[in-house]
Amino acid sequence: MEEEIFSARTDLTQLNQSVTEIKNTLAKVVVGQQEMITLLIAGILANGHVLIEGVPGVAKTLTAKLIAKCIDASFSRIQFTPDLMPSDVLGTSVFNPKESEFEFKQGPIFGNVILVDEINRAPAKTQSALFEVMEERQITIDGQTYPMQEPFVILATQNPIDQEGTYRLPEAQLDRFLFKIEVKYPSLQEETVILQQHHQQKATEQLDEIKPILTAAQIGIYRNQVRSLHVESKLLEFVAKIIHETRNSKSLYLGGSPRASLAIVNAAKAIAAISGRDFVTPEDIIYVTPAVLRHRIMLSPDKEMEGVTPDEVVQQIIQKLEIPR
């Protein structure tokens, strides 16, 4: 009987080897930022889009580009600017005089890994172009629907400090991102290593040497494995309680939606798989919850005035609850 139970478990050896290889490859170029790298990999495995926020120069765009380089799939980079139109992202119909009819020219959104740089610089009209493609993995133009090729992941960056010429992302769009990763400054030791690597020109050489580690087909297999991971019913109840508390907290004006609770479960499965486990633990849930919730909840005006952060409110909510064992 024990043998049967054991054989039914998911073999995550290959997944772990690929993840370790990606982490080691990125560590040659990016110093520190372990949490950002782990969450980016988890986002791809959980089939979710990721928003990366940090001041300029903390390797947001570089890390996203390196992750894309590690995947043998098509990569597009879109630089969002205030004059960008939806057709610049999605594509447009062009008249073909030979055929005497319009034909659709695909925009840069047609790719597997899409890096949207400075996402908050484009106006609402262009932001809305991403709504359908982020949620339904398809776009509709002139009554025609064009599905996206799998895997399809949007990695978006934004700068929280420079607010000139920026547009706040709509709540509905923020909700479509699985994670919001906040990238901090490196420590003194990490910054010293960055300077040494730059001085010796190591990073530039290693950047050119990066070869694809994962194929699109492998990502599909790994995603299916992640989906099939075991989650106990008491852990699902724990996630539901966290989200329920966000809706009833006096510190919050807006709580999490059912999409947020689904995101926590999917993300926790991905973190469990990265850790080499085929089951989710309460620690996995606690680890991903701040990154899943920080962009989906809104602080009440008085808490905002006090300078409280969404992460602090999430920690308080988790501490109030009994952690299942």
Side-chain angles (χ1 to χ4, degrees):
M1 181 67 186
E2 277 182 28
E3 278 180 25
E4 276 177 42
I5 293 169
F6 192 76
S7 64
R9 301 183 80 134
T10 312
D11 182 16
L12 298 167
T13 319
Q14 270 199 304
L15 186 148
N16 286 119
Q17 282 173 353
S18 300
V19 169
T20 308
E21 217 176 316
I22 291 171
K23 283 185 173 180
N24 292 342
T25 304
L26 265 63
K28 291 174 187 172
V29 183
V30 180
V31 178
Q33 307 295 12
Q34 289 308 307
E35 189 186 13
M36 167 166 62
I37 292 166
T38 303
L39 289 175
L40 274 169
I41 296 168
I44 290 166
L45 291 176
N47 196 13
H49 309 296
V50 180
L51 179 63
I52 311 165
E53 184 176 274
V55 296
V58 287
K60 303 186 299 292
T61 307
L62 174 66
T63 310
K65 279 171 72 177
L66 290 176
I67 287 270
K69 266 190 132 178
C70 292
I71 298 167
D72 188 11
S74 66
F75 170 70
S76 292
R77 176 177 175 168
I78 314 170
Q79 189 72 46
F80 269 27
T81 55
D83 61 349
L84 198 76
M85 296 303 288
S87 58
D88 297 328
V89 177
L90 304 179
T92 186
S93 294
V94 178
F95 186 70
N96 183 343
K98 275 188 185 174
E99 306 289 329
S100 295
E101 60 182 32
F102 283 92
E103 60 181 48
F104 180 64
K105 292 281 183 200
Q106 294 183 351
I109 200 73
F110 285 86
N112 297 112
V113 181
I114 315 297
L115 170 58
V116 178
D117 215 9
E118 299 281 1
I119 190 167
N120 56 344
R121 292 223 165 269
K125 193 174 185 181
T126 307
Q127 296 294 355
S128 65
L130 295 176
F131 275 44
E132 182 185 10
V133 77
M134 285 178 76
E135 184 61 23
E136 296 164 49
R137 306 295 200 277
Q138 63 175 41
I139 64 163
T140 307
I141 289 185
D142 297 336
Q144 283 275 40
T145 301
Y146 302 92
M148 294 293 147
Q149 269 190 317
E150 288 297 331
F152 176 74
V153 180
I154 290 178
L155 308 176
T157 70
Q158 70 174 17
N159 169 7
I161 307 302
D162 178 16
Q163 295 305 318
E164 196 176 327
T166 64
Y167 301 81
R168 200 170 176 278
L169 296 191
E171 293 305 324
Q173 187 179 3
L174 283 171
D175 204 37
R176 283 163 163 78
F177 283 103
L178 177 71
F179 292 135
K180 178 182 175 184
I181 304 171
E182 287 184 345
V183 189
K184 304 283 188 283
Y185 283 120
S187 66
L188 179 61
Q189 289 83 357
E190 286 169 350
E191 192 133 6
T192 309
V193 174
I194 291 168
L195 292 171
Q196 284 169 347
Q197 283 194 357
H198 181 75
H199 174 61
Q200 294 158 3
Q201 295 186 329
K202 267 189 189 171
T204 318
E205 293 161 19
Q206 281 155 345
L207 202 58
D208 300 331
E209 288 169 15
I210 289 176
K211 300 280 183 286
I213 294 163
L214 281 176
T215 63
Q218 275 176 303
I219 290 175
I221 293 164
Y222 293 163
R223 280 179 174 178
N224 287 335
Q225 286 185 325
V226 167
R227 252 183 245 124
S228 66
L229 259 55
H230 179 67
V231 188
E232 287 187 34
S233 54
K234 61 183 178 184
L235 292 182
L236 295 175
E237 198 179 324
F238 178 52
V239 172
K241 279 178 182 170
I242 293 171
I243 299 301
H244 189 70
E245 281 296 321
T246 65
R247 294 172 196 159
N248 298 317
S249 169
K250 288 189 170 68
S251 304
L252 296 176
Y253 168 68
L254 177 74
S257 65
R259 192 189 272 149
S261 40
L262 290 169
I264 291 175
V265 173
N266 292 339
K269 283 182 182 179
I271 291 294
I274 289 170
S275 309
R277 282 181 277 101
D278 64 352
F279 58 92
V280 171
T281 65
E283 286 70 31
D284 297 326
I285 290 167
I286 292 165
Y287 179 76
V288 299
T289 298
V292 170
L293 286 183
R294 61 171 68 112
H295 57 296
R296 300 172 195 267
I297 56 179
M298 281 173 80
L299 296 168
S300 61
D302 52 325
K303 288 291 173 189
E304 217 164 325
M305 293 282 281
E306 287 170 29
V308 175
T309 66
D311 284 20
E312 285 167 358
V313 176
V314 170
Q315 291 302 340
Q316 286 164 10
I317 285 170
I318 291 171
Q319 281 163 10
K320 269 197 338 190
L321 296 170
E322 189 186 336
I323 294 168
R325 291 287 167 219

